[in-house]
Amino acid sequence: MVTRINAGKSLRNALHYNENKVRQSAAVLIHSKNFAKDTGELKLTDKLGTLQHFAAQNERTKVNSVHISLNFDPSEKLDKESLQSIADSYMQKIGFGDQPYLVYNHSDASHPHIHIVTTNIKRNGKRIELHNIGKNQSEKARKQIEKDFNLIRADSKQRQQVYDIKPINAEKVIYGKNAASGTKRAITNVLDSVLPKYKYTSLPELNAVLRQYNIIADQGSKESRIYKSGGLVYRVLNTAGDKVGVPIPASHIYNKPTLKHLEQNFQKNQVARRPHMQRVRNAIDYTLATKGRITIDQLQNYLQKERISLVIRQNAQGIIYGLTYVDHKTQSVFNGSDLGKPYSANQLQQRIQQIPIIQQQKPQLTNKDNISSTNDTTLSNTLKGAIDLVFEVEKETSPLAEFDERKKKKRKRLFH
């Protein structure tokens, strides 16, 4: 079971998100707790009125909306009663057992999941502390519930690929019924998985990830109204990379993945991704040192085996002007130059062209087709030697190397 907790300032938005899903036949209200009426008798005014009544007991607290999702393995077939019991157990364990809450069973993703809407303001006006609730109370509750209900553990090896997101089917979005709502639903599912997990530091880096799933975050042209107002829309891409379907404004998506929100992620991700740079460098260096004469497309294929997507940017003439590396293992994104000059588009192409010079000295490596067993921060001595050769070739053929050589000869004449 995977848990997500989103705290916000609008109970109305959290409730309407789920009620809209119900109207779209993508969700069902299956349970409620601590309301004056039974679940089947609750009207929208009853739901919102009760939640807002609790929140009104503490008007100083602006963040009073709590929206939780509990996500289960696709192989788990949980009936209504089981989901109700899991929701009650979870809410009790994280300290929300006495709060009014609504439980919605959603059917708009490949895995079963429920959403819970509640408030962190108690009947007496006291506030339930949300700081670190995910790491502390929620994590303990998750592990215990997995044991109590015999659920597949979120941290088990069996679950490593359970929630891999699938690319959006552009044709299905275009030709399906309710195209706008279908596009929004498909985009939201991808964004919910990508935005909080991947470490990107710019919009192009984020788009390098989203393109893997046939989505792009679009600011429009510099002359457009969207760009000038700092807006952002999300678009579906077809197999040719063209924008299709209905554009969805970021402000219309529940988690509000607006440009302002993303820019906050850009700053914190600068630090968060830093420890993972060396793994990508090692994967590139290893491939260049052991695979012989290869093209940039072949390098792309080799890196894919290490769960690293190489996104190539090129102009209409086919000239490559930029590279972005998406490491799906560490969920980190790097523009080529961020890893260092040798990994930028221009330098990497030069390195590939120079590889044949050292092929006669190519070392025999014991694990040449997979670096997964290689330590991510260090390379074997043999591999280091091979990579040193690559850089030695660069050094010897560079203008700086020739300049240094002339300086040495001049100094030698002075002292003799």
Side-chain angles (χ1 to χ4, degrees):
M1 185 177 78
V2 174
T3 65
R4 292 178 186 162
I5 301 176
N6 292 309
K9 299 180 180 180
S10 176
L11 285 162
R12 184 183 298 273
N13 285 351
L15 181 60
H16 280 187
Y17 171 80
N18 286 278
E19 289 294 318
N20 285 336
K21 293 284 187 180
V22 172
R23 281 193 287 272
Q24 296 166 8
S25 300
V28 178
L29 177 65
I30 62 169
H31 188 43
S32 65
K33 199 70 178 288
N34 300 317
F35 284 83
K37 298 180 181 179
D38 292 337
T39 303
E41 299 175 352
L42 289 174
K43 297 180 180 179
L44 181 60
T45 52
D46 299 322
K47 302 167 188 174
L48 185 59
T50 299
L51 293 170
Q52 289 183 332
H53 174 73
F54 272 67
Q57 306 309 307
N58 185 339
E59 295 182 350
R60 296 189 307 274
T61 299
K62 301 302 180 184
V63 178
N64 54 24
S65 168
V66 181
H67 191 176
I68 301 166
S69 69
L70 306 183
N71 304 269
F72 309 96
D73 188 276
S75 65
E76 292 175 318
K77 308 301 179 185
L78 301 169
D79 56 26
K80 177 181 175 181
E81 289 71 24
S82 298
L83 292 173
Q84 291 172 340
S85 299
I86 289 172
D88 286 340
S89 177
Y90 177 81
M91 296 299 279
Q92 190 69 42
K93 292 179 188 303
I94 67 170
F96 279 76
D98 295 328
Q99 297 298 100
Y101 58 85
L102 301 160
V103 183
Y104 295 83
N105 184 16
H106 285 234
S107 57
D108 57 351
S110 59
H111 62 280
H113 62 291
I114 58 176
H115 284 237
I116 306 173
V117 180
T118 186
T119 178
N120 60 319
I121 306 302
K122 295 182 178 181
R123 192 185 301 273
N124 60 9
K126 291 186 177 181
R127 178 183 62 188
I128 298 176
E129 183 59 55
L130 299 177
H131 182 65
N132 281 336
I133 190 172
K135 290 183 179 179
N136 299 331
Q137 296 95 315
S138 180
E139 188 67 4
K140 292 178 182 177
R142 173 187 69 79
K143 291 180 178 179
Q144 187 59 51
I145 288 172
E146 287 172 345
K147 292 180 181 178
D148 294 344
F149 292 86
N150 195 28
L151 301 176
I152 294 178
R153 293 185 294 112
D155 51 1
S156 71
K157 293 182 179 179
Q158 301 173 29
R159 277 205 74 275
Q160 287 180 357
Q161 304 299 325
V162 164
Y163 294 118
D164 281 356
I165 16 178
K166 296 180 180 179
I168 290 177
N169 186 328
E171 291 186 3
K172 186 176 180 180
V173 166
I174 298 171
Y175 301 114
K177 295 179 180 179
N178 301 319
S181 61
T183 301
K184 181 178 176 181
R185 184 184 308 168
I187 289 175
T188 299
N189 286 342
V190 173
L191 294 179
D192 282 349
S193 296
V194 169
L195 295 185
K197 295 179 182 178
Y198 279 80
K199 295 173 274 293
Y200 44 87
T201 64
S202 67
L203 199 60
E205 287 181 6
L206 172 60
N207 278 332
V209 184
L210 294 180
R211 282 181 180 275
Q212 313 292 309
Y213 307 104
N214 299 338
I215 296 178
I216 187 173
D218 188 10
Q219 289 182 279
S221 66
K222 291 186 178 181
E223 294 75 28
S224 67
R225 180 179 58 83
I226 295 176
Y227 186 92
K228 290 179 179 178
S229 63
L232 193 68
V233 298
Y234 289 88
R235 305 289 301 268
V236 172
L237 303 176
N238 62 18
T239 53
D242 300 321
K243 302 168 189 174
V244 297
V246 183
I248 305 297
S251 58
H252 290 187
I253 298 173
Y254 171 70
N255 284 332
K256 300 292 184 293
T258 60
L259 186 59
K260 183 178 180 180
H261 172 77
L262 295 178
E263 286 172 344
Q264 296 174 353
N265 290 346
F266 296 164
Q267 295 178 354
K268 68 179 183 181
N269 287 340
Q270 287 281 3
V271 177
R273 71 176 184 170
R274 201 170 294 158
H276 308 297
M277 284 185 172
Q278 194 59 43
R279 177 182 129 79
V280 180
R281 293 190 190 109
N282 287 353
I284 299 166
D285 292 340
Y286 188 97
T287 303
L288 295 184
T290 62
K291 298 302 179 184
R293 184 191 290 271
I294 60 174
T295 64
I296 196 83
D297 292 333
Q298 288 173 323
L299 173 63
Q300 193 177 44
N301 292 334
Y302 283 124
L303 292 179
Q304 194 67 46
K305 295 177 182 179
E306 301 302 330
R307 298 185 65 191
I308 298 173
S309 295
L310 172 55
V311 181
I312 302 172
R313 302 190 299 281
Q314 54 192 68
N315 60 23
Q317 290 73 41
I319 298 174
I320 297 173
Y321 64 86
L323 300 174
T324 303
Y325 304 91
V326 181
D327 185 354
H328 297 286
K329 180 178 179 181
T330 64
Q331 296 174 323
S332 304
V333 190
F334 304 99
N335 193 37
S337 57
D338 291 339
L339 294 174
K341 285 186 178 180
Y343 308 94
S344 64
N346 184 42
Q347 292 283 324
L348 188 70
Q349 290 179 92
Q350 290 183 23
R351 290 174 65 186
I352 288 176
Q353 292 169 5
Q354 293 166 356
I355 283 177
I357 298 174
I358 67 165
Q359 287 311 296
Q360 293 179 353
Q361 304 177 54
K362 185 170 107 174
Q364 298 296 317
L365 300 179
T366 56
N367 193 21
K368 63 181 181 180
D369 291 324
N370 191 340
I371 67 163
S372 298
S373 59
T374 305
N375 187 291
D376 280 340
T377 58
T378 60
L379 292 168
S380 67
N381 292 333
T382 309
L383 178 56
K384 283 183 179 178
I387 293 169
D388 286 342
L389 284 171
V390 174
F391 286 105
E392 191 62 26
V393 170
E394 291 181 351
K395 179 179 176 184
E396 290 176 358
T397 56
S398 68
L400 284 176
E402 294 177 6
F403 177 74
D404 289 342
E405 190 62 30
R406 289 197 300 270
K407 283 181 63 178
K408 289 180 181 177
K409 290 180 178 178
K410 184 177 180 180
R411 190 179 302 142
K412 190 173 182 180
R413 287 198 301 270
L414 288 173
F415 284 96
H416 289 79

